[in-house]
Amino acid sequence: MSAPTGPAPAGPATGSRARTPAVTARALARRRRREALGRFVREYARNRAGLLGLASLLTIGALALTAPLFVDQAHLTVTGAPGDSYQPPSREYPLGTDNFGRSVLDLIVWGARVSLTVGLLATFVSVTLGTLVGVTAGHFGSSGGLGGRIVSTLLMRVTDWFLVLPTLVLAVALAAVLPRGTGTIVIAIGLTVWPPTARLVRAQTLAVEARPYVERARALGGGHTHVMGWHVLPNVMPVVLAQTTLLVATSIIAESTLAFLGMGDPTTISWGGILESARTAGAISAGIWWYMIPPGLAIAVVALSFTLCGRAVESVINPRLRGQS
């Protein structure tokens, strides 16, 4: 008697069909990210102020990156300056020279490298610290039980303590205690301007934690790390991005202030250091305006450009602000 015939058991084809939904889900996620990025670019392109700030930053950044190609580093030293001291602006020196005969234009272009680097690194330290504190405090404050609420309260009280302290005074104190150098300035600024980011991220975290899909993730057994890393952090990143662009301007101004007060590295050239050298050399009383005004304008232009970019990003992220941009 022959065995009954029937459909052959599913082999590798079944596994292939089982893997199809996962591949489709990943492709769908990538497509949604591309669409979201395209919407962001289109909305940002409608903001003229944001485009102006972005163009200004790209130009200044390009000059800073390519400075070694057209600025002779030997001419930036005190002993290797080619010109005479305090020459007014001319064809050879468009922004004049300083008290050592160095070109002020070369100093400003080279100083952009240090000022932008310190501003970006200090902002990275500040935003990273503020995001970690804000996400942790918001998550455990809403779903961590009694112990979590205690951790959240302690973190926010520390944040409030840093928030009420004068930022400049604290930065000067840290810069005076630590060894002088560019790294010290980065740490001093990064450890003093993070509290506003922490409070902003905490508020956004509390809003995300109240959404239904986060509650479902907890019900399915998602732990604290899973919820914070996969559900909370991606949803607070737009706010963090907008806060980052705004903090870079604050960090650059803080670096210039510390350098102007003599807390920076005297061996490096930065915009604040140029202002401090001009003040020490008596450029204000001597009427050497080309030594004081250009570095101040450079600081103002970069700070304004980052602020314009930050406001534009904020208006794209928050639809209620689009009509006000």
Side-chain angles (χ1 to χ4, degrees):
M1 185 173 182
S2 60
T5 60
T14 303
S16 177
R17 288 194 299 269
R19 287 193 296 269
T20 301
V23 175
T24 303
R26 288 196 294 269
L28 180 61
R30 287 194 295 268
R31 188 181 68 183
R32 288 178 175 175
R33 293 191 190 100
R34 289 195 298 268
E35 292 175 352
L37 180 60
R39 288 194 300 268
F40 177 85
V41 172
R42 288 192 298 271
E43 291 294 336
Y44 189 95
R46 296 175 183 175
N47 192 304
R48 296 181 180 179
L51 290 178
L52 178 61
L54 181 61
S56 176
L57 290 178
L58 291 177
T59 302
I60 296 174
L63 287 175
L65 291 175
T66 59
L69 300 178
F70 55 88
V71 175
D72 190 352
Q73 299 185 42
H75 293 169
L76 299 177
T77 61
V78 176
T79 57
D84 297 328
S85 60
Y86 293 142
Q87 291 187 30
S90 61
R91 179 175 299 180
E92 185 179 3
Y93 300 106
L95 295 181
T97 61
D98 65 353
N99 54 322
F100 297 110
R102 298 176 296 180
S103 171
V104 176
L105 179 60
D106 290 349
L107 292 175
I108 291 175
V109 172
W110 196 266
R113 299 167 62 87
V114 175
S115 295
L116 291 177
T117 301
V118 171
L120 292 173
L121 290 178
T123 301
F124 175 78
V125 173
S126 173
V127 169
T128 301
L129 181 60
T131 301
L132 290 176
V133 172
V135 170
T136 304
H139 172 76
F140 285 101
S142 62
S143 61
L146 179 60
R149 288 194 292 272
I150 293 176
V151 171
S152 175
T153 301
L154 289 176
L155 288 176
M156 295 316 299
R157 294 297 78 79
V158 172
T159 302
D160 293 339
W161 183 76
F162 274 94
L163 194 62
V164 299
L165 289 177
T167 302
L168 180 59
V169 174
L170 182 58
V172 169
L174 290 175
V177 172
L178 298 175
R180 296 182 66 177
T182 303
T184 298
I185 297 297
V186 171
I187 295 174
I189 297 174
L191 294 181
T192 54
V193 299
W194 63 269
T197 303
R199 297 200 67 87
L200 183 64
V201 172
R202 176 181 176 272
Q204 185 69 15
T205 299
L206 292 175
V208 173
E209 290 276 349
R211 296 176 182 175
Y213 64 86
V214 177
E215 297 179 0
R216 287 196 296 267
R218 293 199 198 97
L220 293 174
H224 297 299
T225 304
H226 174 80
V227 172
M228 288 190 294
W230 289 93
H231 298 288
V232 176
L233 189 59
N235 284 280
V236 302
M237 285 308 296
V239 176
V240 173
L241 176 62
Q243 184 69 4
T244 299
T245 54
L246 295 174
L247 275 180
V248 174
T250 303
S251 300
I252 290 176
I253 294 175
E255 183 275 333
S256 302
T257 303
L258 292 176
F260 180 76
L261 295 175
M263 298 295 176
D265 187 355
T267 61
T268 60
I269 299 174
S270 67
W271 292 336
I274 298 173
L275 289 173
E276 195 273 337
S277 299
R279 179 186 62 84
T280 304
I284 299 177
S285 58
I288 313 299
W289 60 268
W290 59 85
Y291 197 6
M292 294 290 296
I293 295 179
L297 287 178
I299 297 171
V301 168
V302 171
L304 178 61
S305 299
F306 273 110
T307 302
L308 292 177
C309 291
R311 296 302 181 189
V313 172
E314 191 177 13
S315 66
V316 173
I317 294 173
N318 189 351
R320 291 176 295 181
L321 300 178
R322 291 177 186 173
Q324 305 175 10
S325 59

